[in-house]
PDB file of all heavy atoms in Angstrom:
ATOM      1  N   ALA A 248     -14.285  74.547 -14.701  1.00  0.00           N
ATOM      2  CA  ALA A 248     -13.971  73.142 -14.622  1.00  0.00           C
ATOM      3  C   ALA A 248     -14.689  72.319 -15.573  1.00  0.00           C
ATOM      4  O   ALA A 248     -14.208  71.372 -16.198  1.00  0.00           O
ATOM      5  CB  ALA A 248     -14.443  72.632 -13.157  1.00  0.00           C
ATOM      6  N   VAL A 249     -15.995  72.675 -15.903  1.00  0.00           N
ATOM      7  CA  VAL A 249     -16.763  71.859 -16.932  1.00  0.00           C
ATOM      8  C   VAL A 249     -16.165  72.067 -18.324  1.00  0.00           C
ATOM      9  O   VAL A 249     -16.029  71.152 -19.056  1.00  0.00           O
ATOM     10  CB  VAL A 249     -18.206  72.337 -16.859  1.00  0.00           C
ATOM     11  CG1 VAL A 249     -19.000  71.745 -18.032  1.00  0.00           C
ATOM     12  CG2 VAL A 249     -18.899  71.888 -15.473  1.00  0.00           C
ATOM     13  N   VAL A 250     -15.755  73.349 -18.655  1.00  0.00           N
ATOM     14  CA  VAL A 250     -15.233  73.568 -19.922  1.00  0.00           C
ATOM     15  C   VAL A 250     -13.852  72.847 -20.162  1.00  0.00           C
ATOM     16  O   VAL A 250     -13.480  72.226 -21.187  1.00  0.00           O
ATOM     17  CB  VAL A 250     -15.030  75.126 -20.170  1.00  0.00           C
ATOM     18  CG1 VAL A 250     -14.121  75.377 -21.419  1.00  0.00           C
ATOM     19  CG2 VAL A 250     -16.407  75.706 -20.380  1.00  0.00           C
ATOM     20  N   ASP A 251     -13.044  72.754 -19.082  1.00  0.00           N
ATOM     21  CA  ASP A 251     -11.822  72.015 -19.028  1.00  0.00           C
ATOM     22  C   ASP A 251     -12.128  70.549 -19.462  1.00  0.00           C
ATOM     23  O   ASP A 251     -11.448  69.841 -20.175  1.00  0.00           O
ATOM     24  CB  ASP A 251     -11.085  72.218 -17.803  1.00  0.00           C
ATOM     25  CG  ASP A 251      -9.689  71.442 -17.754  1.00  0.00           C
ATOM     26  OD1 ASP A 251      -8.903  71.777 -18.519  1.00  0.00           O
ATOM     27  OD2 ASP A 251      -9.621  70.387 -16.970  1.00  0.00           O
ATOM     28  N   GLU A 252     -13.170  69.968 -18.789  1.00  0.00           N
ATOM     29  CA  GLU A 252     -13.534  68.629 -18.925  1.00  0.00           C
ATOM     30  C   GLU A 252     -13.948  68.339 -20.503  1.00  0.00           C
ATOM     31  O   GLU A 252     -13.668  67.443 -21.110  1.00  0.00           O
ATOM     32  CB  GLU A 252     -14.586  68.090 -18.014  1.00  0.00           C
ATOM     33  CG  GLU A 252     -14.097  68.066 -16.533  1.00  0.00           C
ATOM     34  CD  GLU A 252     -13.086  66.932 -16.294  1.00  0.00           C
ATOM     35  OE1 GLU A 252     -13.371  65.735 -16.620  1.00  0.00           O
ATOM     36  OE2 GLU A 252     -11.939  67.327 -15.997  1.00  0.00           O
ATOM     37  N   LEU A 253     -14.741  69.326 -20.918  1.00  0.00           N
ATOM     38  CA  LEU A 253     -15.291  69.354 -22.301  1.00  0.00           C
ATOM     39  C   LEU A 253     -14.146  69.315 -23.298  1.00  0.00           C
ATOM     40  O   LEU A 253     -14.118  68.608 -24.277  1.00  0.00           O
ATOM     41  CB  LEU A 253     -16.211  70.384 -22.666  1.00  0.00           C
ATOM     42  CG  LEU A 253     -17.567  70.203 -21.859  1.00  0.00           C
ATOM     43  CD1 LEU A 253     -18.360  71.561 -22.209  1.00  0.00           C
ATOM     44  CD2 LEU A 253     -18.394  69.115 -22.478  1.00  0.00           C
ATOM     45  N   ASN A 254     -13.126  70.151 -23.028  1.00  0.00           N
ATOM     46  CA  ASN A 254     -11.909  70.234 -23.918  1.00  0.00           C
ATOM     47  C   ASN A 254     -11.107  69.014 -23.865  1.00  0.00           C
ATOM     48  O   ASN A 254     -10.378  68.634 -24.864  1.00  0.00           O
ATOM     49  CB  ASN A 254     -11.031  71.339 -23.481  1.00  0.00           C
ATOM     50  CG  ASN A 254     -11.610  72.790 -23.703  1.00  0.00           C
ATOM     51  OD1 ASN A 254     -12.372  72.854 -24.692  1.00  0.00           O
ATOM     52  ND2 ASN A 254     -11.192  73.856 -23.036  1.00  0.00           N
ATOM     53  N   ARG A 255     -11.204  68.072 -22.835  1.00  0.00           N
ATOM     54  CA  ARG A 255     -10.584  66.917 -22.770  1.00  0.00           C
ATOM     55  C   ARG A 255     -11.431  65.778 -23.475  1.00  0.00           C
ATOM     56  O   ARG A 255     -11.004  64.538 -23.429  1.00  0.00           O
ATOM     57  CB  ARG A 255     -10.316  66.487 -21.316  1.00  0.00           C
ATOM     58  CG  ARG A 255      -9.248  67.353 -20.664  1.00  0.00           C
ATOM     59  CD  ARG A 255      -9.170  67.157 -19.117  1.00  0.00           C
ATOM     60  NE  ARG A 255      -8.912  65.741 -19.006  1.00  0.00           N
ATOM     61  CZ  ARG A 255      -9.426  65.074 -17.828  1.00  0.00           C
ATOM     62  NH1 ARG A 255     -10.005  65.755 -16.973  1.00  0.00           N
ATOM     63  NH2 ARG A 255      -9.043  63.859 -17.678  1.00  0.00           N
ATOM     64  N   GLY A 256     -12.600  66.046 -24.047  1.00  0.00           N
ATOM     65  CA  GLY A 256     -13.378  65.071 -24.729  1.00  0.00           C
ATOM     66  C   GLY A 256     -14.302  64.332 -23.792  1.00  0.00           C
ATOM     67  O   GLY A 256     -14.841  63.282 -24.272  1.00  0.00           O
ATOM     68  N   ARG A 257     -14.532  64.757 -22.606  1.00  0.00           N
ATOM     69  CA  ARG A 257     -15.355  64.038 -21.640  1.00  0.00           C
ATOM     70  C   ARG A 257     -16.773  64.239 -21.967  1.00  0.00           C
ATOM     71  O   ARG A 257     -17.289  65.367 -22.396  1.00  0.00           O
ATOM     72  CB  ARG A 257     -15.039  64.537 -20.176  1.00  0.00           C
ATOM     73  CG  ARG A 257     -13.661  64.529 -19.751  1.00  0.00           C
ATOM     74  CD  ARG A 257     -13.081  63.067 -19.677  1.00  0.00           C
ATOM     75  NE  ARG A 257     -13.925  62.186 -18.897  1.00  0.00           N
ATOM     76  CZ  ARG A 257     -13.940  62.261 -17.456  1.00  0.00           C
ATOM     77  NH1 ARG A 257     -13.173  63.076 -16.835  1.00  0.00           N
ATOM     78  NH2 ARG A 257     -14.655  61.367 -16.788  1.00  0.00           N
ATOM     79  N   ARG A 258     -17.611  63.271 -21.607  1.00  0.00           N
ATOM     80  CA  ARG A 258     -19.167  63.383 -21.790  1.00  0.00           C
ATOM     81  C   ARG A 258     -19.751  63.803 -20.544  1.00  0.00           C
ATOM     82  O   ARG A 258     -19.221  63.665 -19.446  1.00  0.00           O
ATOM     83  CB  ARG A 258     -19.713  62.032 -22.280  1.00  0.00           C
ATOM     84  CG  ARG A 258     -19.193  61.639 -23.642  1.00  0.00           C
ATOM     85  CD  ARG A 258     -19.870  60.299 -24.036  1.00  0.00           C
ATOM     86  NE  ARG A 258     -19.388  59.812 -25.368  1.00  0.00           N
ATOM     87  CZ  ARG A 258     -19.837  58.871 -25.995  1.00  0.00           C
ATOM     88  NH1 ARG A 258     -20.765  58.004 -25.378  1.00  0.00           N
ATOM     89  NH2 ARG A 258     -19.317  58.461 -27.217  1.00  0.00           N
ATOM     90  N   VAL A 259     -20.923  64.312 -20.684  1.00  0.00           N
ATOM     91  CA  VAL A 259     -21.645  64.953 -19.469  1.00  0.00           C
ATOM     92  C   VAL A 259     -21.807  64.161 -18.243  1.00  0.00           C
ATOM     93  O   VAL A 259     -21.545  64.516 -17.137  1.00  0.00           O
ATOM     94  CB  VAL A 259     -22.874  65.714 -19.874  1.00  0.00           C
ATOM     95  CG1 VAL A 259     -23.993  64.534 -20.412  1.00  0.00           C
ATOM     96  CG2 VAL A 259     -23.523  66.477 -18.728  1.00  0.00           C
ATOM     97  N   ASP A 260     -22.128  62.858 -18.530  1.00  0.00           N
ATOM     98  CA  ASP A 260     -22.444  62.018 -17.318  1.00  0.00           C
ATOM     99  C   ASP A 260     -21.127  61.668 -16.597  1.00  0.00           C
ATOM    100  O   ASP A 260     -21.066  61.569 -15.423  1.00  0.00           O
ATOM    101  CB  ASP A 260     -23.162  60.629 -17.809  1.00  0.00           C
ATOM    102  CG  ASP A 260     -24.549  60.923 -18.133  1.00  0.00           C
ATOM    103  OD1 ASP A 260     -25.183  61.916 -17.667  1.00  0.00           O
ATOM    104  OD2 ASP A 260     -25.099  60.143 -18.881  1.00  0.00           O
ATOM    105  N   ASP A 261     -19.997  61.596 -17.289  1.00  0.00           N
ATOM    106  CA  ASP A 261     -18.760  61.334 -16.706  1.00  0.00           C
ATOM    107  C   ASP A 261     -18.314  62.615 -15.931  1.00  0.00           C
ATOM    108  O   ASP A 261     -17.812  62.476 -14.799  1.00  0.00           O
ATOM    109  CB  ASP A 261     -17.666  61.024 -17.707  1.00  0.00           C
ATOM    110  CG  ASP A 261     -17.865  59.659 -18.349  1.00  0.00           C
ATOM    111  OD1 ASP A 261     -18.259  58.695 -17.682  1.00  0.00           O
ATOM    112  OD2 ASP A 261     -17.630  59.519 -19.601  1.00  0.00           O
ATOM    113  N   ILE A 262     -18.583  63.813 -16.563  1.00  0.00           N
ATOM    114  CA  ILE A 262     -18.230  65.045 -15.825  1.00  0.00           C
ATOM    115  C   ILE A 262     -18.970  65.138 -14.551  1.00  0.00           C
ATOM    116  O   ILE A 262     -18.420  65.510 -13.476  1.00  0.00           O
ATOM    117  CB  ILE A 262     -18.486  66.245 -16.761  1.00  0.00           C
ATOM    118  CG1 ILE A 262     -17.567  66.191 -18.012  1.00  0.00           C
ATOM    119  CG2 ILE A 262     -18.271  67.501 -16.011  1.00  0.00           C
ATOM    120  CD1 ILE A 262     -17.945  67.207 -19.050  1.00  0.00           C
ATOM    121  N   VAL A 263     -20.276  64.932 -14.544  1.00  0.00           N
ATOM    122  CA  VAL A 263     -21.059  64.961 -13.417  1.00  0.00           C
ATOM    123  C   VAL A 263     -20.639  64.079 -12.258  1.00  0.00           C
ATOM    124  O   VAL A 263     -20.566  64.611 -11.116  1.00  0.00           O
ATOM    125  CB  VAL A 263     -22.596  64.558 -13.710  1.00  0.00           C
ATOM    126  CG1 VAL A 263     -23.379  64.237 -12.490  1.00  0.00           C
ATOM    127  CG2 VAL A 263     -23.233  65.617 -14.477  1.00  0.00           C
ATOM    128  N   HIS A 264     -20.109  62.962 -12.560  1.00  0.00           N
ATOM    129  CA  HIS A 264     -19.559  62.051 -11.503  1.00  0.00           C
ATOM    130  C   HIS A 264     -18.163  62.260 -11.070  1.00  0.00           C
ATOM    131  O   HIS A 264     -17.772  61.912  -9.933  1.00  0.00           O
ATOM    132  CB  HIS A 264     -19.831  60.660 -11.929  1.00  0.00           C
ATOM    133  CG  HIS A 264     -21.233  60.222 -11.935  1.00  0.00           C
ATOM    134  ND1 HIS A 264     -21.986  59.905 -10.842  1.00  0.00           N
ATOM    135  CD2 HIS A 264     -22.114  60.013 -12.951  1.00  0.00           C
ATOM    136  CE1 HIS A 264     -23.200  59.599 -11.164  1.00  0.00           C
ATOM    137  NE2 HIS A 264     -23.268  59.616 -12.432  1.00  0.00           N
ATOM    138  N   ASP A 265     -17.392  62.959 -11.929  1.00  0.00           N
ATOM    139  CA  ASP A 265     -16.017  63.063 -11.560  1.00  0.00           C
ATOM    140  C   ASP A 265     -15.543  64.342 -10.988  1.00  0.00           C
ATOM    141  O   ASP A 265     -14.367  64.445 -10.445  1.00  0.00           O
ATOM    142  CB  ASP A 265     -15.107  62.729 -12.774  1.00  0.00           C
ATOM    143  CG  ASP A 265     -15.333  61.285 -13.375  1.00  0.00           C
ATOM    144  OD1 ASP A 265     -15.748  60.488 -12.446  1.00  0.00           O
ATOM    145  OD2 ASP A 265     -14.918  60.933 -14.410  1.00  0.00           O
ATOM    146  N   LEU A 266     -16.402  65.422 -11.141  1.00  0.00           N
ATOM    147  CA  LEU A 266     -15.964  66.702 -10.539  1.00  0.00           C
ATOM    148  C   LEU A 266     -15.725  66.586  -9.061  1.00  0.00           C
ATOM    149  O   LEU A 266     -16.519  65.910  -8.401  1.00  0.00           O
ATOM    150  CB  LEU A 266     -16.937  67.784 -10.900  1.00  0.00           C
ATOM    151  CG  LEU A 266     -16.891  68.359 -12.328  1.00  0.00           C
ATOM    152  CD1 LEU A 266     -17.820  69.549 -12.338  1.00  0.00           C
ATOM    153  CD2 LEU A 266     -15.454  68.890 -12.631  1.00  0.00           C
ATOM    154  N   ARG A 267     -14.785  67.240  -8.622  1.00  0.00           N
ATOM    155  CA  ARG A 267     -14.557  67.434  -7.077  1.00  0.00           C
ATOM    156  C   ARG A 267     -14.621  68.957  -6.730  1.00  0.00           C
ATOM    157  O   ARG A 267     -13.887  69.721  -7.245  1.00  0.00           O
ATOM    158  CB  ARG A 267     -13.146  66.896  -6.829  1.00  0.00           C
ATOM    159  CG  ARG A 267     -13.001  65.334  -7.087  1.00  0.00           C
ATOM    160  CD  ARG A 267     -13.918  64.573  -6.205  1.00  0.00           C
ATOM    161  NE  ARG A 267     -13.928  63.153  -6.506  1.00  0.00           N
ATOM    162  CZ  ARG A 267     -14.699  62.448  -7.245  1.00  0.00           C
ATOM    163  NH1 ARG A 267     -15.718  63.116  -7.942  1.00  0.00           N
ATOM    164  NH2 ARG A 267     -14.621  61.197  -7.482  1.00  0.00           N
ATOM    165  N   TYR A 268     -15.565  69.270  -5.881  1.00  0.00           N
ATOM    166  CA  TYR A 268     -15.909  70.594  -5.678  1.00  0.00           C
ATOM    167  C   TYR A 268     -15.146  71.100  -4.531  1.00  0.00           C
ATOM    168  O   TYR A 268     -15.095  70.581  -3.393  1.00  0.00           O
ATOM    169  CB  TYR A 268     -17.416  70.670  -5.348  1.00  0.00           C
ATOM    170  CG  TYR A 268     -18.325  70.142  -6.508  1.00  0.00           C
ATOM    171  CD1 TYR A 268     -18.597  68.830  -6.801  1.00  0.00           C
ATOM    172  CD2 TYR A 268     -18.847  71.107  -7.506  1.00  0.00           C
ATOM    173  CE1 TYR A 268     -19.343  68.368  -7.780  1.00  0.00           C
ATOM    174  CE2 TYR A 268     -19.543  70.608  -8.565  1.00  0.00           C
ATOM    175  CZ  TYR A 268     -19.892  69.320  -8.685  1.00  0.00           C
ATOM    176  OH  TYR A 268     -20.633  69.010  -9.706  1.00  0.00           O
ATOM    177  N   PRO A 269     -14.580  72.404  -4.649  1.00  0.00           N
ATOM    178  CA  PRO A 269     -13.895  72.948  -3.570  1.00  0.00           C
ATOM    179  C   PRO A 269     -14.811  73.249  -2.378  1.00  0.00           C
ATOM    180  O   PRO A 269     -15.865  73.941  -2.531  1.00  0.00           O
ATOM    181  CB  PRO A 269     -13.298  74.237  -4.129  1.00  0.00           C
ATOM    182  CG  PRO A 269     -13.333  74.090  -5.630  1.00  0.00           C
ATOM    183  CD  PRO A 269     -14.523  73.129  -5.873  1.00  0.00           C
ATOM    184  N   ALA A 270     -14.363  72.720  -1.214  1.00  0.00           N
ATOM    185  CA  ALA A 270     -15.220  72.907   0.048  1.00  0.00           C
ATOM    186  C   ALA A 270     -15.483  74.393   0.392  1.00  0.00           C
ATOM    187  O   ALA A 270     -16.465  74.871   0.725  1.00  0.00           O
ATOM    188  CB  ALA A 270     -14.579  72.192   1.195  1.00  0.00           C
ATOM    189  N   GLU A 271     -14.483  75.300   0.136  1.00  0.00           N
ATOM    190  CA  GLU A 271     -14.584  76.607   0.508  1.00  0.00           C
ATOM    191  C   GLU A 271     -15.569  77.390  -0.285  1.00  0.00           C
ATOM    192  O   GLU A 271     -16.068  78.501   0.041  1.00  0.00           O
ATOM    193  CB  GLU A 271     -13.275  77.435   0.502  1.00  0.00           C
ATOM    194  CG  GLU A 271     -12.675  77.438  -0.933  1.00  0.00           C
ATOM    195  CD  GLU A 271     -11.836  76.238  -1.388  1.00  0.00           C
ATOM    196  OE1 GLU A 271     -11.906  75.179  -0.742  1.00  0.00           O
ATOM    197  OE2 GLU A 271     -11.050  76.377  -2.363  1.00  0.00           O
ATOM    198  N   LEU A 272     -15.922  76.858  -1.447  1.00  0.00           N
ATOM    199  CA  LEU A 272     -16.916  77.476  -2.355  1.00  0.00           C
ATOM    200  C   LEU A 272     -18.363  76.789  -2.249  1.00  0.00           C
ATOM    201  O   LEU A 272     -19.331  77.396  -2.365  1.00  0.00           O
ATOM    202  CB  LEU A 272     -16.551  77.475  -3.834  1.00  0.00           C
ATOM    203  CG  LEU A 272     -15.307  78.288  -4.171  1.00  0.00           C
ATOM    204  CD1 LEU A 272     -14.927  78.126  -5.583  1.00  0.00           C
ATOM    205  CD2 LEU A 272     -15.487  79.681  -3.716  1.00  0.00           C
ATOM    206  N   PHE A 273     -18.360  75.513  -1.929  1.00  0.00           N
ATOM    207  CA  PHE A 273     -19.532  74.769  -2.014  1.00  0.00           C
ATOM    208  C   PHE A 273     -20.099  74.228  -0.678  1.00  0.00           C
ATOM    209  O   PHE A 273     -21.274  74.006  -0.545  1.00  0.00           O
ATOM    210  CB  PHE A 273     -19.434  73.566  -3.073  1.00  0.00           C
ATOM    211  CG  PHE A 273     -19.261  74.122  -4.461  1.00  0.00           C
ATOM    212  CD1 PHE A 273     -18.106  74.259  -4.954  1.00  0.00           C
ATOM    213  CD2 PHE A 273     -20.393  74.269  -5.189  1.00  0.00           C
ATOM    214  CE1 PHE A 273     -17.873  74.811  -6.280  1.00  0.00           C
ATOM    215  CE2 PHE A 273     -20.265  74.667  -6.527  1.00  0.00           C
ATOM    216  CZ  PHE A 273     -18.950  74.947  -7.014  1.00  0.00           C
ATOM    217  N   ASP A 274     -19.213  74.048   0.246  1.00  0.00           N
ATOM    218  CA  ASP A 274     -19.591  73.443   1.587  1.00  0.00           C
ATOM    219  C   ASP A 274     -19.959  74.669   2.575  1.00  0.00           C
ATOM    220  O   ASP A 274     -19.376  74.771   3.601  1.00  0.00           O
ATOM    221  CB  ASP A 274     -18.712  72.493   2.148  1.00  0.00           C
ATOM    222  CG  ASP A 274     -18.492  71.279   1.296  1.00  0.00           C
ATOM    223  OD1 ASP A 274     -19.365  71.100   0.506  1.00  0.00           O
ATOM    224  OD2 ASP A 274     -17.576  70.489   1.570  1.00  0.00           O
ATOM    225  N   VAL A 275     -20.781  75.611   2.086  1.00  0.00           N
ATOM    226  CA  VAL A 275     -21.118  76.788   2.849  1.00  0.00           C
ATOM    227  C   VAL A 275     -22.661  76.838   2.879  1.00  0.00           C
ATOM    228  O   VAL A 275     -23.344  76.361   2.033  1.00  0.00           O
ATOM    229  CB  VAL A 275     -20.519  78.001   2.210  1.00  0.00           C
ATOM    230  CG1 VAL A 275     -18.928  78.076   2.304  1.00  0.00           C
ATOM    231  CG2 VAL A 275     -20.913  78.196   0.769  1.00  0.00           C
TER     232      VAL A 275
END
Side-chain angles (χ1 to χ4, degrees):
V249 171
V250 169
D251 182 62
E252 292 294 299
L253 289 173
N254 285 336
R255 294 171 54 208
R257 306 295 304 286
R258 295 184 182 181
V259 62
D260 289 336
D261 292 320
I262 298 173
V263 162
H264 288 284
D265 291 346
L266 279 187
R267 297 295 177 262
Y268 299 84
E271 65 273 17
L272 294 179
F273 292 90
D274 294 346
V275 290

